[in-house]
Amino acid sequence: MNLSLTIAFRHLRSPQKGSFSTLAGILAIAGLGIGIAALIITLSILEGFETTISEKIAGFDGHIRIQHFMDTPFPEENPNLDSLLGTFIGQTVIPFIQKPALLRKGFYAEGVIVEGLVVPDKKFGLTNIIVDGTLSLNSGSILIGKRLADKMALHVGDRLALFDMESIAGVSSGQRVKPFTITGLFHSGLLEYDQSIVYTSLKDAQQLFGMEKQISGLMLLFKKSAYAGAIYRRLEAELDYPWYVMSWKDKHHVLFDWIRIQRWPILLIFGLIAFVGVVNIVSAMTMIIIEKIREIGIFTSLGFTPNTIRKVFLFEGTVIGAIGSLAGVLVALLLIWLQLRFQLISIPEDVYFMDRIPVAMNGWVACLIGFAGLAASMLASILPTIKAAKIQPAEALRYE
C-alpha cells in the first residue's frame, strides 16, 4: 500500500489516548452522510410526487386530448385525424364524450361530469383505482367515485338516473334522462375527480346527450409520459383550426407550475445541508493537522517532501468523503426502499392527493450525488493540506 495512504488510514483510526483525530473523522463522515442522504431523499420525494400526480391525472384525462376549438361535437369517423394519428406508434386512441349531467338517486341529486368512453383492451388509469366492483362499461352501467358514493350513500348494484343538463335548461325539447346501474367504484385520491366524474360507455353517453355517432374529442394514452411530449408538439404544429390540442400538463398547468417552483427552493435548502457536511470536512482536516503537527515536523525532518505530506492529508480527506458519501447513498436508498415496500409515512390525502409519501428509486441520481459529494470532499481538503505542507520542522517541534 502507498506510504501516504497507510499513514492517512493510521491517523483516522489512531489508538492514541485522548486523540481527537478519530472523533473528528467520524463527525465529518456523519455530517456529510446526513447531507447526502437528505439531498437524495428530497429529490426522490419530489420526483415521486410529480410522477404520481402526473400518472393519476393522465389516467383520467389522457396524456393528450384533441377537441374542437368551440367544444363542438364532431363525427366519430374523421379521415384527416385518423390518418394523422395512424402515423404515430405506441399510443392508445380513445374517443370520448364529456358533458355535464345531473345524477339523481331518490331525493339525492348531484351535478357531475359524465365521461363516455370505450374501455381499451390495454390497462389504463382507471384499471388500478377500482376499489369495488369491476371496470366493465357495458350498456346501462356506470362507474362513480368512492367519495361521491359515500356522500350519496350509493353502493355497487344500486340504480340511479342521469339527466342531461342542457335538456333540463332548454325550453324546446323534453328532458333527456337515462337509468344506470353502478358496476364499480373508483378512488384516485384526487378530490376533484372522485366527487365529480362518472364514467359510462360511449354509446350510453351518445344516447343520453343526443350525440348519435358523434364525440367530444379523442384521448391519447402512452405507456410512458416521456413519449407524449414529442407527439404533442407535432400535433400542435400540424393541426390547425378548428382543432386544438391540450396535454395533461396544460390542463393542470397551475399544479405543475407549483411543483416546478417548489423544486428549486427545496433543493437549495437541502443542498445547503450537504454543503455544511463538506465544510465540516475542512474543519475536521484542520483539527487533525493541528493535532498531528508534531508528526508533520518529524516527517519533514526524515526527508518527507511537502508533496508527500500534502498527499497524506489529502488521502484522509478523500477517505472521509468516500465513506461519508457511500454511507449517505446507502442510508438514502434503504429509507427509500422501506417507504416503497412498507409505506411507512402517511400524509393527508385530501391535501396532497395521495395517502402516502411517494418516492422514486433513481440509482443514477443517487450515484451522481455520491460522486459529487466525494469530489467536493477532495476539493475541501486541498486548503488544509497546503497549510500542512508549509509547516517547518523547527516550528512544529518548538514546544516539544
Side-chain angles (χ1 to χ4, degrees):
M1 184 182 289
N2 184 282
L3 178 61
S4 299
L5 190 58
T6 302
I7 297 173
F9 275 118
R10 185 167 181 80
H11 279 177
L12 292 175
R13 54 185 177 85
S14 173
Q16 180 182 346
K17 186 176 181 180
S19 172
F20 191 73
S21 301
T22 303
L23 178 60
I26 292 173
L27 292 176
I29 289 170
L32 181 61
I34 291 172
I36 294 291
L39 189 56
I40 293 174
I41 292 171
T42 301
L43 283 171
S44 171
I45 293 174
L46 286 173
E47 184 178 347
F49 184 79
E50 184 171 2
T51 301
T52 303
I53 290 292
S54 182
E55 288 178 352
K56 284 189 175 186
I57 292 176
F60 283 101
D61 295 332
H63 292 98
I64 300 173
R65 287 201 173 200
I66 303 173
Q67 294 178 256
H68 192 279
F69 187 78
M70 301 297 294
D71 284 335
T72 304
F74 58 90
E76 286 186 67
E77 302 294 333
N78 192 298
N80 293 331
L81 281 178
D82 293 342
S83 62
L84 176 60
L85 295 176
T87 62
F88 303 133
I89 299 175
Q91 83 277 5
T92 301
V93 181
I94 304 175
F96 70 90
I97 288 176
Q98 186 181 69
K99 288 281 188 178
L102 182 70
L103 183 151
R104 183 165 181 176
K105 168 67 175 176
F107 295 105
Y108 296 100
E110 191 76 25
V112 295
I113 301 295
V114 176
E115 287 264 0
L117 48 80
V118 178
V119 177
D121 296 331
K122 303 176 182 178
K123 286 186 176 183
F124 76 122
L126 285 174
T127 307
N128 301 319
I129 60 174
I130 298 296
V131 294
D132 194 7
T134 65
L135 182 57
S136 173
L137 284 179
N138 300 318
S139 178
S141 63
I142 188 171
L143 300 177
I144 69 173
K146 183 70 166 56
R147 289 178 182 270
L148 179 62
D150 293 340
K151 184 178 180 180
M152 299 185 66
L154 297 174
H155 304 88
V156 173
D158 288 352
R159 292 181 61 81
L160 51 82
L162 285 180
F163 293 80
D164 177 15
M165 295 289 281
E166 293 181 0
S167 69
I168 294 175
V171 293
S172 56
S173 59
Q175 296 180 358
R176 287 191 292 268
V177 60
K178 186 172 178 61
F180 289 91
T181 301
I182 301 174
T183 55
L185 304 179
F186 64 86
H187 179 75
S188 68
L190 299 171
L191 188 64
E192 173 186 351
Y193 290 88
D194 292 344
Q195 285 192 343
S196 61
I197 301 289
V198 301
Y199 290 90
T200 70
S201 68
L202 183 64
K203 290 191 178 297
D204 282 345
Q206 288 173 333
Q207 294 174 6
L208 174 63
F209 298 112
M211 296 171 58
E212 192 66 27
K213 295 184 178 180
Q214 290 186 315
I215 57 176
S216 299
L218 296 173
M219 180 193 307
L220 275 63
L221 292 171
F222 300 87
K223 287 184 179 180
K224 294 185 178 180
S225 299
Y227 300 156
I231 294 179
Y232 169 71
R233 288 188 292 272
R234 182 176 167 187
L235 286 172
E236 261 198 327
E238 297 191 19
L239 287 178
D240 298 324
Y241 181 85
W243 308 110
Y244 80 91
V245 184
M246 177 179 289
S247 72
W248 81 110
K249 289 189 175 181
D250 288 337
K251 186 174 181 180
H252 300 273
H253 67 91
V254 174
L255 176 60
F256 287 102
D257 286 346
W258 175 81
I259 293 174
R260 281 192 291 270
I261 291 171
Q262 293 295 316
R263 179 184 296 273
W264 295 111
I266 291 174
L267 290 180
L268 178 62
I269 292 170
F270 284 91
L272 288 174
I273 295 176
F275 178 73
V276 170
V278 174
V279 172
N280 284 341
I281 292 179
V282 178
S283 303
M285 290 303 302
T286 302
M287 288 184 283
I288 291 172
I289 289 170
I290 292 173
E291 186 184 76
K292 302 299 182 182
I293 193 169
R294 178 174 176 272
E295 290 185 19
I296 294 172
I298 295 173
F299 291 153
T300 306
S301 302
L302 292 174
F304 277 52
T305 65
N307 187 47
T308 303
I309 295 174
R310 187 161 51 245
K311 282 183 179 179
V312 170
F313 294 99
L314 185 60
F315 281 145
E316 289 189 36
T318 302
V319 170
I320 290 173
I323 297 175
S325 298
L326 180 61
V329 170
L330 293 179
V331 168
L333 293 179
L334 175 62
L335 293 176
I336 291 169
W337 179 81
L338 288 173
Q339 178 64 16
L340 284 172
R341 180 69 177 81
F342 301 106
Q343 301 291 302
L344 300 175
I345 306 175
S346 60
I347 53 178
E349 189 178 49
D350 55 342
V351 176
Y352 297 101
F353 314 120
M354 57 200 77
D355 58 357
R356 295 290 187 274
I357 288 183
V359 290
M361 182 79 77
N362 192 325
W364 288 108
V365 172
C367 291
L368 179 62
I369 294 175
F371 281 118
L374 175 60
S377 302
M378 294 175 65
L379 292 174
S381 303
I382 291 176
L383 182 60
T385 58
I386 292 176
K387 296 291 185 182
K390 292 181 178 179
I391 296 175
Q392 298 300 318
E395 179 183 350
L397 300 174
R398 179 180 300 170
Y399 301 107
E400 296 298 325

